[in-house]
Amino acid sequence: METNILRLAIQKKGRLADNSLELLKSAGIRIDNYSQQLLIKANNFDLELLFIRDDDIPEYVQDGIADIGIVGENVILESGKQLKTIEKLGFGKCRMSIAIPKMDSFNSIKDLVGKNIATTYPKILNNYLSANNINAKVHYISGSVEITPNINLADAIFDIVSTGSTLISNGLKEVETVLKSEAVLISNNNLSESKKLLLEQILFRIRAVNQAKNNKYILLNAPNESLQKITEMLPGVKSPTIMPLAIEGWSSVHTVISEDDFWNKIENLKNAGAQGILVLPIEKIIV
Ligand code: ATP
Ligand code: ZN
């Protein structure tokens, strides 16, 4: 018998765990009896959560043990599994880079020829090296890759970087960014029609929440003679709302603007005559 519950695999503990649960919560999915069990059913949605190590998520989703999963793109690439990425989720952002001791010289990746490179991600590194025709020795290390150059175990490392402070405190410098990664929603390739429908519903909610996060609601006052210039700067979801103020010759403009280029826009609005600018967070956007 076909079950009608969609099973989502998420990281049990670690950098993606809180954000994954937070995303479901903001999508209105309630998980009340959360107590580090392996499998939990949501209270108000046909969704089941499977809590596992992030490295296991690509395989579980490929094999259909879970229907969908939330995992870093880096982990999918390293797994070598062919999985459908449904949506980028905007958290767990990091880059994967090659780093070398800070006193060593570096002109190009050709300098890596014949070097020992330590990493937890041998597959991604080997693919990168062969794509660039670099013959180097890749050493798999399960953790603390950043200390290997200091103990003469490697000449270089390939690892995840977010701020770069771990590299600096180990006397390393980043010399080459190999890829950028963030958490994504992945899906099994053979979902039943009923599960596809559940996925669509979740996706609709996730998109509404994530769109809202990338946008702000903005209200401002402007003299009527500046209105045209100001509205040209503000596209809005359809177009801005303009209402007359009680004072003659002034209007209030309401609209939605994107987080990208936000400060530039505010500056330009002020220069165009906008006053009393209010910026508010948005909870959800349904377009
Ligand atoms: P698990 O026990 O589930 O195997 P882990 O130790 O492999 O956990 P975490 O350190 O929790 O993994 O990282 C999970 C994911 O978070 C990474 O695969 C990566 O996609 C992302 N990430 C974002 N920033 C960082 C960072 N600074 N360091 C490591 N991972 C990061
Ligand atoms: Zn892991």
Side-chain angles (χ1 to χ4, degrees), residues 11 14-16 53-55 72 74-75 92-94 160 162:
Q11 191 187 26
R15 286 191 159 87
L16 303 182
R53 285 197 57 199
D54 68 344
D55 312 65
N74 57 316
V75 173
K93 285 190 178 169
C94 57
I160 292 179
S162 50

Side-chain angles (χ1 to χ4, degrees), residues 167-179:
L167 293 181
I168 292 167
S169 62
N170 283 283
L172 302 173
K173 63 179 175 189
E174 192 177 351
V175 291
E176 195 71 24
T177 302
V178 171
L179 70 93

